[in-house]
Amino acid sequence: MQLPGTSGTPSAATHRPFGSTEGVPRRVVLLGSTGSIGTQAIDVADAAPDRFTIVALAAGGSNLELLAQQAVHTRAAAVGCALADKDTLHKAVQDAARDAGVSDYDPELFTGPSAATAIAAWPEAEVVLNGITGSIGLEPTLAALAAGHLLALANKESLIVGGELVKKAAAPGQLVPVDSEHSALAQALRSGTPEEVDRLVVTASGGPFRGMKRAELQNVTPGQALAHPTWKMGRMVTTNSASMVNKALEVIEAHLLFDIPLERIDVVVHPQSVVHSMVQFVDGSTIAQASPPDMRLPIALGMGWPHRVPGAAKPCDWTRAAEWTFEPLDEEAFPAVALAKRTAAAGGTGMAVYNAANEEAVDAFHDGLIGFTDIVDTIAAVLAEHTDTAPLTLESVLAAEKWARTAARKRCGR
Ligand SMILES: NC(=O)C1=CN([C@@H]2O[C@H](COP(=O)(O)OP(=O)(O)OC[C@H]3O[C@@H](n4cnc5c(N)ncnc54)[C@H](OP(=O)(O)O)[C@@H]3O)[C@@H](O)[C@H]2O)C=CC1
Ligand SMILES: CC(=O)[C@@H](O)[C@H](O)COP(=O)(O)O
Ligand SMILES: [Mn+2]
């Protein structure tokens, strides 16, 4: 898959087809606006009004008040909410407008399970930032691509479960990563041609359980799993960081985004989360992207791709002593990465099953139904039962997901 600017093509020529015009703010649609990525994206847009204007928002609805406040704040022309009905959403928006002293705001409203998909295709958009969590983001991802919008993708799950389906739906340069590692890789890949790339090296913080052995991991608590050492993120991705499922998904994400074979993608543990990933080139050179852990940088770059947004985040402070360390991943304690590589190599709907089983197991872990090591054990057990060899279509992915969720819930004692 070709990112704009990674092939040496002048950037202006590659981003113009997606509707961006120099000097005019890009019209941004935010999916998952109330979450960690979504709220930081609003910060980015607020700080750079000359670059970005938010034209539509969507969220799940577990924090309706915040969604309504964001709508009033951004004056988004369209607002979507999965859980609320239209009357409830309308009232929330009007209450928020009244509280903010705004009298003439009446956006178009979309509600129900397909609200985010409708918002993703919003015709006024130029860039869609998909910050929804989980594979529920797949249809919005496909809708944004079908509408011809530039897709700044934080929702890695949609690419991983959709695989080739999503790749085929994306025109060259239409899909830009927001995940910090993949943003780093995309930046480092600007330094060479595809033929010059030897390996991708994806960094992992190691999470809160770095250094622990499998036996010690058995009794860790949800509270401990949510205490990420370097990033403040939503519950699913934070738990996935602790189990290394996040890194597993990210290896597959890198493979799909950059067309590098799985056996040429490595994981290295880097507890400081300053080097966000690296590209090793054929001449022995390694190009790394480094910045203090702050998602506003990859969010701004994703929404503004291929242009950098001045002041998006603080740079490294080179006047102070600092230590960056790197260590191998303990694959025995954390088997998630190897399991994902095997699953993705087999192709088909396997990664949809992997991800769905994980999402169910993570919920079961937080509900106290299973232990921490049972999360990856559940994924492995559900995958072992999975015999479907249907070709990859939206229908087969959704069916595999449904099957995997049922199988995982059963194993977790739901
Ligand atoms: N947070 C981070 O720093 C990073 C996150 N990512 C990825 O970005 C994605 C988002 O993560 P994060 O922001 O942490 O997650 P959060 O849990 O903080 O936020 C998730 C967002 O998705 C919304 N949402 C849930 N279901 C729906 C739905 N059906 N329709 C529309 N919106 C929905 C939620 O709405 P509500 O809660 O209002 O119901 C919320 O706004 C994930 O894929 C994650 O892996 C990647 C790199 C870094
Ligand atoms: C910020 C970001 O991109 C997360 O996906 C991050 O990678 C999580 O940290 P881990 O390296 O611990 O998974
Ligand atoms: Mn990441």
Side-chain angles (χ1 to χ4, degrees):
M1 193 171 291
Q2 188 199 335
L3 288 168
T6 55
S7 64
T9 316
S11 55
T14 52
H15 83 267
R16 198 164 287 138
F18 296 109
S20 178
T21 317
E22 289 307 312
V24 176
R26 272 194 183 170
R27 297 184 297 275
V28 179
V29 164
L30 272 188
L31 309 178
S33 61
T34 54
S36 161
I37 290 289
T39 51
Q40 292 181 85
I42 293 178
D43 289 347
V44 167
D46 283 349
D50 55 323
R51 302 275 182 138
F52 306 115
T53 178
I54 293 170
V55 294
L57 299 170
S62 65
N63 194 345
L64 200 56
E65 203 181 330
L66 177 59
L67 174 62
Q69 286 166 353
Q70 291 177 330
V72 174
H73 173 72
T74 59
R75 302 288 202 284
V79 182
C81 182
L83 295 177
D85 58 52
K86 253 191 195 157
D87 288 347
T88 311
L89 180 58
H90 183 260
K91 182 175 179 320
V93 171
Q94 292 315 317
D95 287 352
R98 189 199 54 232
D99 292 350
V102 172
S103 57
D104 57 348
Y105 179 58
D106 193 13
E108 195 166 332
L109 302 180
F110 295 83
T111 52
S114 59
T117 304
I119 293 282
W122 185 244
E124 303 307 316
E126 290 176 290
V127 185
V128 175
L129 172 62
N130 188 348
I132 294 174
T133 206
S135 60
I136 193 94
L138 174 61
E139 287 179 70
T141 278
L142 291 171
L145 293 172
H149 305 324
L150 184 69
L151 177 62
L153 190 67
N155 175 251
K156 64 193 93 184
E157 298 91 335
S158 56
L159 175 61
I160 291 154
V161 307
E164 291 299 322
L165 267 186
V166 173
K167 283 182 69 168
K168 281 193 193 125
Q174 195 179 1
L175 179 50
V176 175
V178 169
D179 207 348
S180 62
E181 296 76 4
H182 307 76
S183 175
L185 292 169
Q187 293 174 64
L189 284 166
R190 288 170 164 180
S191 331
T193 64
E195 300 70 35
E196 289 172 336
V197 175
D198 184 10
R199 308 188 73 78
L200 304 183
V201 185
V202 178
T203 52
S205 73
F209 305 136
R210 182 173 63 89
M212 284 193 185
K213 296 291 168 205
R214 187 177 158 89
E216 298 169 87
L217 290 172
Q218 242 135 23
N219 297 317
V220 298
T221 64
Q224 290 172 311
L226 290 178
H228 197 283
T230 50
W231 297 99
K232 193 165 169 355
M233 311 179 288
R235 187 181 81 153
M236 181 63 68
V237 60
T238 304
T239 312
N240 291 350
S241 289
S243 64
M244 286 294 152
V245 166
N246 186 46
K247 223 38 64 179
L249 299 180
E250 290 184 345
V251 166
I252 312 308
E253 182 184 9
H255 164 65
L256 291 166
L257 280 171
F258 304 117
D259 289 323
I260 300 292
L262 288 165
E263 59 277 13
R264 289 205 275 132
I265 305 179
D266 304 317
V267 170
V268 65
V269 175
H270 165 56
Q272 295 81 16
S273 300
V274 175
V275 172
H276 298 294
S277 279
M278 305 175 254
V279 178
Q280 189 177 299
F281 290 94
V282 288
D283 59 356
S285 181
T286 296
I287 302 285
Q289 186 266 326
S291 51
D294 183 342
M295 279 306 293
R296 288 174 303 178
L297 192 161
I299 289 170
L301 185 58
M303 297 196 311
W305 189 269
H307 304 293
R308 296 186 181 277
V309 177
K314 285 206 171 81
C316 295
D317 181 354
W318 303 106
T319 66
R320 309 180 90 138
E323 195 177 49
W324 297 351
T325 56
F326 299 91
E327 61 196 52
L329 173 66
D330 178 351
E331 303 245 18
E332 210 175 294
F334 298 100
V337 173
L339 179 62
K341 278 189 167 184
R342 287 198 301 277
T343 306
T349 53
M351 282 310 296
V353 169
Y354 182 114
N355 179 73
N358 178 61
E359 288 183 15
E360 293 298 330
V362 167
D363 284 346
F365 169 63
H366 284 286
D367 290 346
L369 292 175
I370 62 170
F372 184 71
T373 48
D374 296 326
I375 297 176
V376 178
D377 289 353
T378 300
I379 305 173
V382 172
L383 279 168
E385 285 174 41
H386 178 239
T387 50
D388 165 37
T389 52
L392 205 65
T393 60
L394 182 57
E395 291 68 36
S396 70
V397 168
L398 296 178
E401 272 238 316
K402 193 172 171 202
W403 172 85
R405 286 182 191 281
T406 307
R409 288 167 79 91
K410 211 163 131 193
R411 290 199 78 88
C412 294
R414 288 275 188 210

